[in-house]
Amino acid sequence: MANTVLVGAQWGDEGKGKVIDYLTDRVDVVVRSQGGNNAGHTVVVGDVKYILRLIPSGILRPGKLCVIGNGVVVDPISLCEEIGELKSQGVEISKENLLISEAAHLVFPYHKLIDEYRELAVGPNKIGTTKRGIGPAYGDKIARVGIRLGDLLVPDRFKDRLDSRRQEVDWLLQQYGAKPIDWRELTRQYLVAGEQLKEMVTNTVLELHGLMQEGKEILFEGAQGTFLDIDHGTYPYVTSSNTTAGGACTGAGVPPTRIDRVVGAMKAYTTRVGEGPFPTEDQGISDMLHAMGREFGVNTGRERRCGWFDAVATRFAVIVNGIDEIAVTNLDGLDQLETIKICVEYKREGKGVVSPPTCVQEFGRCTPVYIEVPGWKEPTTGAKTYEDLPKNARLYLEKVCELIGAKLSLVGVGQKREQTIVVTPELVAAS
Ligand code: GDP
Ligand code: IMO
Ligand code: MG
């Protein structure tokens, strides 16, 4: 398989973790290039459930190299915890299979506090963040006052850099009425984490270029989803990184000329956590999925908002990411339905709208125009091949592809690794 970028084509939680785990079998290296531990990627192997936050989902496949790229924001305490959790589940992690960029920026406890207090300060206009400090950490990076993983490995430099942040951070937290930071304890804890991570920290850009020169193939694991992209999403109800395909290049230091294909992960319906417009949101489908025990956030446990498949939004995701193939997950979530709706257009003030408006207020005023297609009313969870799927399920998938203009490559019919149907073998064929 050539160098592939996998992106979320909706609002995150599209089942990227499962798709990545599946595709990892066919590549040599898996790279995370943006986001932080706001991500929660679920992979179920046998009866064991793994949750990946910062570590690429490829880590579950022995012999594969995983890389946390320069574009990721790393909470080193949380990363050490994640390594510990995975190790306790029997996953081997060492510098042999995990490398972390020395240019990745650090997330600090004060970023989490600022994240939380900013949300409180805006009250009803809150974003509904994961409170992991992601926005403030990226904010510091862009404002050029961030501290990087490479700094953490040189204690004196780290202390100096942190000292330079104290005055502003203390002042800001005081304005919020937050508890002051215990800088001495923070420094101690971070240096301990740095010591633990040290052997894995390196110049990952050079590592990746060396691997490409050897002919190794890379899979870029997107986090979040297209409509959470800082530039192309429903701003300000977005995360603080470029979640679209271009983010893989800047966040890993791999040029666009080395990307061969883009795969978009999407659910057979739509979900969103947090605030912001969501034209196809539907109480009926939310209730049905929650009653099935599905669609609860991995990180925060929040109920995900659920709705019908939105072909208008997803068509835009296909364009902005350059998606060649799609992996449709959670098809089985629609198994019980008599009829299924697909949004094919929006209406705003009586006029048709064929692409999501850039302005979030205008987007919020869009109402969906649906077509209805017949459901299949039988379980798809045991299907092994595309032909095993009920006819109406195949017609549904084909309609979705036609509406969004992309080719179908994988279909998910359950949480487990083996509940994955390959539709275009060339996508996953061994190189
Ligand atoms: P990610 O953040 O994109 O990796 O997705 P999450 O792991 O946050 O959420 C996706 C949820 O759907 C997880 O609970 C997965 O185990 C689950 N999942 C993924 N694909 C399928 C599928 O085809 N069928 C079912 N039933 N669950 C799936
Ligand atoms: P994965 O990788 C779904 C959402 C939050 C909130 C907004 C901003 O698992 O798909 P942030 O903490 O990033 O500042 O929150 O983005 N969000 C996600 N929603 N899946 C994710 O990641 C998300 N990461 C952030 O709910 O609305
Ligand atoms: Mg998730």
Side-chain angles (χ1 to χ4, degrees), residues 12-13 16 39-42 298 304:
D13 300 330
K16 297 177 295 295
H41 299 171
T42 315
V298 171
R304 293 179 184 143

Side-chain angles (χ1 to χ4, degrees), residues 201-221:
V201 179
T202 185
N203 183 333
T204 52
V205 176
L206 293 183
E207 292 283 345
L208 288 171
H209 281 265
L211 289 161
M212 283 190 293
Q213 241 162 14
E214 287 171 29
K216 304 279 191 227
E217 291 178 311
I218 304 177
L219 179 58
F220 297 87
E221 169 170 352

Side-chain angles (χ1 to χ4, degrees), residues 18 20-26 57-66 91 97 417:
K18 186 189 155 188
I20 289 286
D21 168 69
Y22 193 83
L23 297 179
T24 298
D25 206 20
R26 282 83 181 164
S57 308
I59 201 79
L60 304 178
R61 302 264 189 188
K64 307 292 176 173
L65 176 67
C66 288
V91 180
N97 67 342
R417 194 182 255 179

Side-chain angles (χ1 to χ4, degrees), residues 107-179:
V107 180
F108 287 97
Y110 54 80
H111 291 132
K112 289 191 257 186
L113 284 170
I114 295 168
D115 195 357
E116 203 174 323
Y117 279 91
R118 262 187 201 153
E119 286 276 86
L120 283 174
V122 293
N125 294 326
K126 71 178 197 302
I127 294 163
T129 74
T130 59
K131 299 186 185 147
R132 299 290 197 276
I134 305 300
Y138 274 115
D140 277 2
K141 171 177 170 173
I142 300 300
R144 295 156 297 176
V145 293
I147 306 176
R148 309 201 288 186
L149 203 43
D151 298 321
L152 181 59
L153 304 189
V154 187
D156 285 343
R157 192 163 89 208
F158 177 67
K159 286 178 194 156
D160 274 358
R161 302 281 294 138
L162 205 53
D163 255 359
S164 72
R165 297 300 298 129
R166 277 181 71 158
Q167 196 183 6
E168 187 190 349
V169 169
D170 282 342
W171 177 82
L172 191 58
L173 292 181
Q174 200 184 10
Q175 303 306 302
Y176 284 132
K179 220 173 113 211

Side-chain angles (χ1 to χ4, degrees), residues 11-13 16 38-41 127-131 134-135 223-224 228 238-239 273-275 302:
W11 273 279
D13 300 330
K16 297 177 295 295
N38 50 347
H41 299 171
I127 294 163
T129 74
T130 59
K131 299 186 185 147
I134 305 300
Q224 291 80 47
L228 293 173
V238 292
T239 191
V273 250
E275 309 304 317
R302 290 180 289 181

Side-chain angles (χ1 to χ4, degrees), residues 18 23 65 70 121 132 146 194 223 251 267 274 308 332 363:
K18 186 189 155 188
L23 297 179
L65 176 67
N70 54 277
R132 299 290 197 276
K267 280 179 176 145
W308 300 107
D332 53 304
F363 194 13

